[in-house]
Amino acid sequence: MALLISSLTCMTGCAVPAARAPEKIANLSENFARTLPPAQKPAIARWWEQYDSAELNALVAEALAENPDINQTRKRLEQAAATARKQLADLLPEADLTGERETERGDGRGPSTFTLRGAAGYELDIWGRNYAAYKAKTLDAEASVEDVRTAAITLSASVVESWLRLAALREEEALLRSQIETNKMALDLQYDRYANGAAAALDVLQQREILARAGAQLPDVLAEEEVVQHQIAILAGRSPSAEMELKTVRLPDPDALPLPDAGIPARLLSDRPDVAAAWLRLRGADWDAEAAWAQRLPTLQISVSSSATGTVLENLFDTWIANLAAALALPVIDGGQRRAEETRARAAAEEELYNYKETVLAAVKEVEDELSRNHHLQDKIAALKEQLEASRDALEAAQVGYSNGDTNYLSVLNGMINVQSLERQLVQQQELERQLVQ
């Protein structure tokens, strides 16, 4: 009813902000600089399920329910929604009812007078000020909904990245332990050769150095594993010291993970919740500015009051009085306060405009960066595999040459160092490859 009255009373010159077109503000190009191959599967909301891990699914679900940051964001949404409902009250009539009893004697046995008073008031929203303020708060609440979506996406991505990092570290740990065992076997072989006079003492010492080098890297990997588990616990809303029984020990097969559809830049305006939130706050600031403009104009308040008096409750309504009044208030002198508030509100709207532009540009940059990384990452992984294959061939040739007495043991050591280093690099790059589905 209040919205209907507002629409009837709000004629020309009402507080309605000018329309804005997000695609014109953002000024986006038609396509990204680079593209991905067509997506093998359609995108799904619960994108982490593409990793086909019950453990990961459980971690994300726990984080979305228990993480303190996202729950703070949810409570901010509740506050924004309550503020919007509170602002709605200005569009509705107000009514109060009071009752009184007056007695001449303190013991309550004397004659009494009963009085019942009622009052109602309503401000005609002639210029749309109250509606503009309500609209601004409603848009802020809608922006808070998008904030929750943004927090959920960011949180789930953090959980997946940490989970992938832990899996990569465990794979790197397994690789290091395998390399240490290989180096131990090579050292034992060198000891035997030295004992039989077939190897020099330098060969033994160099092999010991290779073994110690691999062993020195293992504590760093183990320490980082614990740090990542602490991070996962925090994301899930647990204490860092809580037991995390994470069984994942190997990274998922990257060929089984479909690449996302990057789409076109204009889709970011509707697909990304952070962009949507910035847009809603911009429109909310526009409505705030219009409300500040309307605050400078006259207000019309209608009030109705009624009272009834009687000596007994039965004849309370025998004598009653009703009043109807209308009050017009026009700001005359306020020291420029209202004009200054309008100036501030319009400047705040322009600030939100630039914030929206910045959010869109940052979103486009993130996509462009990931597309570039993907493009070059595929080339790097292919080059690493080729280099690793060549290094293994070179190591095998060096071992044969050393066994035949054609080369010294330094060639074998260099080959082992190169192979083991490339194996670890490949594990690390494949971890990045698996994060591209986010």
Side-chain angles (χ1 to χ4, degrees), residues 120-201:
Y122 179 69
E123 178 184 344
L124 291 178
D125 200 14
I126 301 175
W127 314 109
R129 173 177 60 84
N130 292 336
Y131 178 75
Y134 166 69
K135 188 68 175 178
K137 298 305 181 184
T138 301
L139 289 168
D140 284 345
E142 293 176 8
S144 295
V145 173
E146 299 301 327
D147 288 342
V148 173
R149 289 182 58 208
T150 301
I153 292 173
T154 302
L155 176 59
S156 58
S158 297
V159 172
V160 172
E161 288 176 5
S162 298
W163 181 79
L164 286 173
R165 181 61 184 147
L166 180 60
L169 286 167
R170 287 178 172 175
E171 192 165 327
E172 191 173 350
E173 176 194 347
L175 179 60
L176 272 171
R177 293 188 184 279
S178 175
Q179 292 175 351
I180 289 172
E181 289 302 316
T182 300
N183 291 336
K184 285 180 178 179
M185 292 172 60
L187 180 58
D188 290 340
L189 179 61
Q190 288 304 106
Y191 274 130
D192 292 340
R193 291 175 62 86
Y194 176 73
N196 295 325

Side-chain angles (χ1 to χ4, degrees), residues 19 27-28 44 46 60 104 109 118 125 127 150 156 173 188 237 244 259 310 334-335 340-341 351 357 411 418 420 422:
N27 193 24
L28 299 176
I44 59 175
R46 299 166 63 89
V60 173
E104 294 182 1
R109 291 180 296 178
D125 200 14
W127 314 109
T150 301
S156 58
E173 176 194 347
D188 290 340
M244 297 290 293
L259 291 174
D334 67 351
E341 173 59 22
E351 179 185 2
K357 288 182 177 180
S411 300
N418 290 336
Q420 293 176 5
L422 289 170

Side-chain angles (χ1 to χ4, degrees), residues 407-418:
T407 60
N408 58 27
Y409 196 60
L410 182 60
S411 300
V412 176
L413 292 173
N414 288 335
M416 292 178 66
I417 292 172
N418 290 336

Side-chain angles (χ1 to χ4, degrees), residues 277-391:
W279 171 253
L280 290 168
R281 288 194 169 90
L282 168 59
R283 297 306 290 155
D286 285 338
W287 282 99
D288 266 333
E290 295 306 315
W293 167 79
Q295 184 71 31
R296 299 170 54 194
L297 303 176
T299 60
L300 179 60
Q301 182 81 26
I302 297 176
S303 61
V304 178
S305 63
S306 177
S307 64
T309 305
T311 56
V312 292
L313 292 176
E314 288 77 3
N315 62 8
L316 179 63
F317 294 98
D318 292 347
T319 305
W320 60 275
I321 300 174
N323 292 309
L324 175 65
L328 180 67
L330 175 64
V332 179
I333 299 175
D334 67 351
Q337 178 181 352
R338 289 176 175 83
R339 182 181 294 276
E341 173 59 22
E342 181 187 359
T343 301
R344 184 207 65 78
R346 296 200 182 281
E350 290 301 304
E351 179 185 2
E352 291 296 339
L353 172 63
Y354 288 112
N355 177 67
Y356 176 70
K357 288 182 177 180
E358 181 181 22
T359 303
V360 172
L361 291 176
V364 174
K365 177 182 178 298
E366 287 179 9
V367 176
E368 292 282 15
D369 289 348
E370 291 305 312
L371 291 174
S372 296
R373 289 191 184 100
N374 173 70
H375 176 77
H376 295 291
L377 181 60
Q378 299 299 322
D379 294 340
K380 183 170 184 177
I381 290 177
L384 276 174
K385 288 180 177 179
E386 184 177 353
Q387 186 180 2
L388 179 57
E389 183 180 358
S391 294

Side-chain angles (χ1 to χ4, degrees), residues 6 23 102 146 226 263 292 325 344 370:
S6 295
E23 62 277 3
E102 295 182 1
E146 299 301 327
E226 294 182 10
R344 184 207 65 78
E370 291 305 312

Side-chain angles (χ1 to χ4, degrees), residues 28-69:
L28 299 176
S29 58
E30 293 185 1
N31 294 290
F32 292 110
R34 296 191 181 276
T35 59
L36 287 172
Q40 300 97 324
K41 296 181 182 179
I44 59 175
R46 299 166 63 89
W47 55 269
W48 56 87
E49 293 181 352
Q50 297 178 101
Y51 289 97
D52 195 25
S53 169
E55 177 182 86
L56 177 60
N57 295 343
L59 280 173
V60 173
E62 183 179 0
L64 291 176
E66 303 296 336
N67 180 266
D69 286 341

